[in-house]
C-alpha cells in the first residue's frame, strides 16, 4: 500500500482539461435552474445518488487553468449544499 504522506511531489494537472465536480443539492432544487447561474459554455451532468433529503450530480466541464477550476469550485460551493 502506498503511504501518501511519503510522496513528496505535488500532483501536476495539465490544463486545459475536463474536471468533475460532485454537486450535492437539497432534493427540491431544480439542477437546470441551479446551473444557469454559472454561465458554463459546455458541460455535462450525470445524476449520481439520491437520498431522502439530498440529490447529487456529477458536473463535468472544461477548465482552462487552476484559477478557473478553483473559482468554479468556490462559486458552486456558495450555492450548493456541498461540492466535492
Amino acid at each position: 500500500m502506498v503511504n501518501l504522506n511519503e510522496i513528496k511531489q505535488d500532483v501536476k494537472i495539465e490544463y486545459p482539461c475536463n474536471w468533475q465536480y460532485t454537486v450535492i443539492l437539497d432534493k427540491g432544487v431544480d439542477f437546470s435552474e441551479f446551473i444557469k447561474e454559472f454561465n458554463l459554455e459546455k458541460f455535462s451532468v450525470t445524476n449520481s445518488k439520491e437520498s431522502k433529503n439530498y440529490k447529487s450530480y456529477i458536473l463535468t466541464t472544461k477548465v482552462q487553468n487552476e484559477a478557473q477550476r478553483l473559482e468554479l469550485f468556490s462559486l458552486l460551493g456558495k450555492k450548493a449544499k456541498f461540492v466535492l
Side-chain angles (χ1 to χ4, degrees):
M1 179 180 283
V2 175
N3 182 346
L4 295 178
N5 292 326
E6 293 177 0
I7 298 174
K8 301 291 185 202
Q9 294 180 334
D10 290 334
V11 175
K12 182 167 171 51
I13 301 171
E14 293 188 28
Y15 295 97
C17 66
N18 288 329
W19 198 261
Q20 290 186 336
Y21 301 90
T22 300
V23 181
I24 301 170
L25 302 174
D26 287 320
K27 196 168 187 178
V29 175
D30 180 2
F31 190 84
S32 299
E33 290 299 316
F34 169 82
I35 201 65
K36 285 180 184 178
E37 295 184 45
F38 302 99
N39 298 319
L40 297 175
E41 291 180 24
K42 292 174 100 177
F43 66 91
S44 66
V45 177
T46 306
N47 289 340
S48 183
K49 296 182 181 180
E50 189 173 333
S51 73
K52 181 179 171 183
N53 298 318
Y54 303 104
K55 193 163 184 181
S56 66
Y57 303 87
I58 306 296
L59 169 66
T60 305
T61 189
K62 183 173 268 190
V63 292
Q64 298 299 318
N65 53 49
E66 182 178 21
Q68 182 185 24
R69 176 178 62 85
L70 295 174
E71 179 184 11
L72 182 54
F73 179 83
S74 177
L75 291 172
L76 289 168
K78 289 177 182 176
K79 299 287 183 173
K81 206 61 162 167
F82 301 101
V83 178
L84 307 171

